[in-house]
Each structure stands twice: as structure tokens, then as C-alpha cells.
Amino acid sequence: MIIAASAPLTVVAGGVTTSFAVTGSLGVPLGFLLIAVILTLFAVGYTAMGRFITNAGAFYAYVAQGLGRPLGVGGSLVALVSYNAMQVGIYGLFGFQISVFLEAKLGFASPWWVWVFLCIIVVAVLGVNRVDLSAKVLGVLVALEFIAVILFDIVSFTASPEGVSAAALNPNALFGPALGLILVFGVAAFMGFESGAIYGEEAKDPKRTVPRATYLAVAIIGLFYAFSAWAFSVGIGPSQIVQASQEAGPDLMFVFMTEQTSVIIADIMTILFITSLFAALQAFHNAVARYLYSLGREGVMPHAFSHTSKSGAPWAGSVAQTIIAIIIVAGFALTGDAFGAADAMFGELSFLYPVLTMFTWLTNTGAAGLVLLMALTAFAVIGFFRKRPGGLSAWTTVVAPFVAGVLLAGMFVMILGNFPLMLGQEEPDATTFVLPGMIIAAFVIGLAWAYVLRVKKPHLYSQIGHGTEPGAYGTELIGVVGVEETGAP
């Protein structure tokens, strides 16, 4: 689930080329390693706190218990906005890729949104079933992604027009003027790595498997992305990779594979690129459903969201996320096609409308929100263990979380400062402020709602962030309503 959300093939094809193109630097491979180090520092306290808290709300519960209930509720709404933005935004690229691929291979022109709505149905069906069903489907897709990228890496080192150069591994390429941009564009590739704790209530041994999964995920993702980014620079040539990325974008990988191998192999990789997007869609859908479940169980959101199916999946949250996706996709489809916004905004490039708006706007917004959440969670670790001293080292409970929190907060500020660049804007416009403003607004609304609950529903307020503990709002009703409706999945 964690690696599926990070979508390895999508990152290597799209994220790596975008980073080279925008930063104009060869430091992208080392940038992935640096981000992996920062997130490993974050994971030290995050996983330690996870031994004491098992909650499908993860960030929400951690912040509530470490920094206070109001900040926890504020963080929960940021999580909902961020995960929904990531999930729905990816639909834009998914629909575009299928539409373009079918037209190129079969001459069949189709609206991008048709494939999105069909995909929403499949994601919804998997979302209301047991998490292990989703995991089996995504496990196969992720394995195929890794095979595809490894094949690309091998071909890149075989081609190496300028030799197997280590130019992209020179620290001077990273620690220069482009360092901030490299981190800003690279961190989005790791979004989803923190989601292991979300599945803690469904894991057989969460105290052991969640920390293991988190550390393994960040290590695998960091090393694999760094190695593949280096391979990319070797395959195209260090002197050409920036210009080639600027000219071809994500298609660079598939053009390269066509030239070096065959059209069939390139087409198979394109199909796997599409399935990579599907895997990420399913993973983020599951994350939203579990957040809604946790918030519904504790009364922060309507209690109906705490309902689970016979298989234990949070079906109410899954259905809610599906409805959200349908509404937003329909809005972009109507605005772009029926009302002509695509032609008005992009002219000859109107076919890129779902990528340049829906995908770019929403995924960057989601990444910004999740970086803010991780910063809050890092500081929450310090607050949590300050009230529960003993047993763990200062490195685990103070030093590593503090350093990670400061670095992540700095990264969030850099994201806000570079938001126009992330959206591909020459000059700021309304979206430059509205999109990150959604994150800030969600946080403020959450804070206000927490104070309302404290005054009007003190019993519910007292349970915020404690949904799995004895006597919590959801657990105390199990005997009356039944495990299928309010119990832990």
C-alpha cells in the first residue's frame, strides 16, 4: 500500500524528468537520498509513537495526543483535504494517459473523463472490500512497476552515450542554488510513505509490522528513486538530461525505450505507467476512507462514517470518497469540455487540460498539506513522550523528531514560496493562493470545530484522538449496534 501510493513508475517517468527540467540541476538523484534521510528521521519518532497508538486516523490521533485535541482536529481536516486532493488529482493524469494511448495505437479518440469515471467504479468496488484484496491487486501492479523500471535502468546503463558518468552523484550538484527546488519537487515522490499507520487496526501485529513497513518503504523508495534517477542521467547523458527533460517531459522514458529496445516494450511500459497511477489511486482512496472512519467513530465527523462492512472495510468512508471524486471530476470535465475552459486557457494545448489543471493543481496541493502534517506530527512526538517519560532514548523522543520537524516545516515554507513554479505559472494568479489556502482554511476550520465540540459535546471532545481506547465513543457502542457498524475494521 505504501509503495503503491508512491507510484514508482510514475515517479521515475514523470517526477524525475520534471525535477531535472525545473531545477536545471544534476543533483536530483542525491536529492532523493537527502529526502529519504529527512523522512527516516521523521520515522524514528513516528514509529515509536505508533507503538502506543493504533488508530486508522494516524496523523490525526498522533497530533491530538501530542499537541492537543484542537490541533489534532485541525490536522485531521488537512489530512482529508490533502489525501482527497492527491487521489482526485491523479485521476486527471490517469484519464489523459489512457485517452492519448488509445488514440495513438487504435485511432480511437475518447474524452479523458470517460476512463476516469470507469476507474472510479473499480476503485470503489475494491475500496469497500477487505484491505487484503486491494493489497493483492496492488502488490502485483507494484511488482510489475519495479520490473519495468529495473529494465529501464539496465537499458540506460547499456546505452550510456557519455559513459557511466557519476556527474549526477557529485555533492556539488545537490548543494547549490537549486537545493530548495530539488527538495520541493522530490518530496512529492514520497507522499504515501507515512500511510502504514493508517492500516494499523487491520494489521495482525501492528506494533511490529507498521514500523517495519515504514522503514522498509522509505529505504526502498529513496534508494530505488535515487538509483533510477542516476540511471536516467546516464542513459540520456549528463550533458543532455536537463534539456531532454525540458523538451519531452514524462514521455522521455518511453521515447528512450522505443529507440533503445522496441515499440512493444515501450508500449508495455506505458500500460504499466497507467496501472501505476491506478495503484496510487487505490492507495489514496483507502487512506481517505480510513480517516473518515476514524473521525466518524470519535464523533468529529458524522457517526455514519464509522460504519464498516462485514469484511471490516470502512465502506461509508469509501463511498464518501467516491462521491467526492465524482463531483470534482465532473466539475473539471464540464468546465473544460462543455464550457470551453480548456480551449480558452491552453489553446492548441487544450488536450493537456486535465494534466495542467486537475493533476497539477490538486497533487501539488495535497503534497503541501501532507508535508505540513508530517511537520506537526514530528513535534507531536516530542509532546507525547514529554507526558510519558521513560523507556525510550532522547534521540527517539526529542532529537530526531525535532530535527525532522524543523526540516519538514522549512520544506513546507519552500513549497509555498515556489508554488507558482510547481504549477508551471510564469506569473501568480488566483490558483497560486486559493490552492494552498485550502490547506490553511481546513486547518483553521478544524481548530474552530474542536472548540465548538469542547463547549457543546465535552464527552466527544474528551475522546478525540483516543478512538481505540477502552470507553471511547465508538467502542462503547459495539455491544448495542454491532462490530460491523462501529467496531475497528
Side-chain angles (χ1 to χ4, degrees), residues 33-53:
L33 292 181
L34 179 57
I35 295 169
V37 170
I38 295 172
L39 295 184
T40 300
L41 285 175
F42 168 79
V44 170
Y46 181 63
T47 56
M49 198 169 175
R51 299 172 198 164
F52 299 86
I53 302 173

Side-chain angles (χ1 to χ4, degrees), residues 134-145:
S134 294
K136 289 173 183 175
V137 173
L138 300 193
V140 173
L141 297 180
V142 169
L144 292 173
E145 284 184 64

Side-chain angles (χ1 to χ4, degrees), residues 265-286:
I265 291 178
D267 286 347
I268 292 173
M269 290 187 66
T270 302
I271 293 171
L272 290 175
F273 178 48
I274 293 170
T275 61
S276 168
L277 294 170
F278 171 79
L281 287 166
Q282 189 68 55
F284 282 116
H285 170 89
N286 290 346

Side-chain angles (χ1 to χ4, degrees), residues 205-233:
D205 185 5
K207 307 301 182 186
R208 180 175 60 89
T209 56
V210 170
R212 179 187 295 176
T214 302
Y215 279 118
L216 276 175
V218 73
I220 291 171
I221 291 169
L223 292 172
F224 190 65
Y225 289 170
F227 182 82
S228 297
W230 174 43
F232 221 139
S233 73

Side-chain angles (χ1 to χ4, degrees), residues 5 8 34 76-78 104 140-141 145 150 192 197 214 216 219 241 247 292 296 353 364 409 434 444 448 454:
L34 179 57
S76 73
L77 294 196
V78 171
V140 173
L141 297 180
E145 284 184 64
I150 290 170
T214 302
L216 276 175
I241 184 63
E247 293 174 353
L292 285 171
Y353 176 76
N364 282 310
V434 171
V444 172
R454 186 169 72 174

Side-chain angles (χ1 to χ4, degrees), residues 337-416:
D337 293 353
F339 299 118
D343 292 326
M345 294 172 69
F346 305 113
E348 294 180 356
L349 297 177
S350 60
F351 69 98
L352 286 170
Y353 176 76
V355 177
L356 298 178
T357 58
M358 187 171 159
F359 173 72
T360 303
W361 293 357
L362 297 183
T363 54
N364 282 310
T365 300
L370 291 177
V371 170
L372 173 60
L373 271 175
M374 285 193 287
L376 285 173
T377 304
F379 292 120
V381 172
I382 300 173
F384 179 81
F385 286 110
R386 183 175 60 82
K387 294 178 286 188
R388 297 165 179 78
L392 295 175
S393 67
W395 165 257
T396 299
T397 60
V398 178
V399 179
F402 178 78
V403 173
V406 170
L407 292 174
L408 287 165
M411 202 176 297
F412 176 68
V413 172
M414 285 191 290
I415 288 174
L416 295 184

Side-chain angles (χ1 to χ4, degrees), residues 49-93:
M49 198 169 175
R51 299 172 198 164
F52 299 86
I53 302 173
T54 300
N55 192 305
F59 284 153
Y60 150 70
Y62 289 17
V63 174
Q65 294 201 38
L67 297 179
R69 293 172 175 83
L71 289 176
V73 178
S76 73
L77 294 196
V78 171
L80 284 177
V81 170
S82 301
Y83 281 120
N84 270 300
M86 292 291 289
Q87 204 266 358
V88 179
I90 293 171
Y91 273 124
L93 183 57

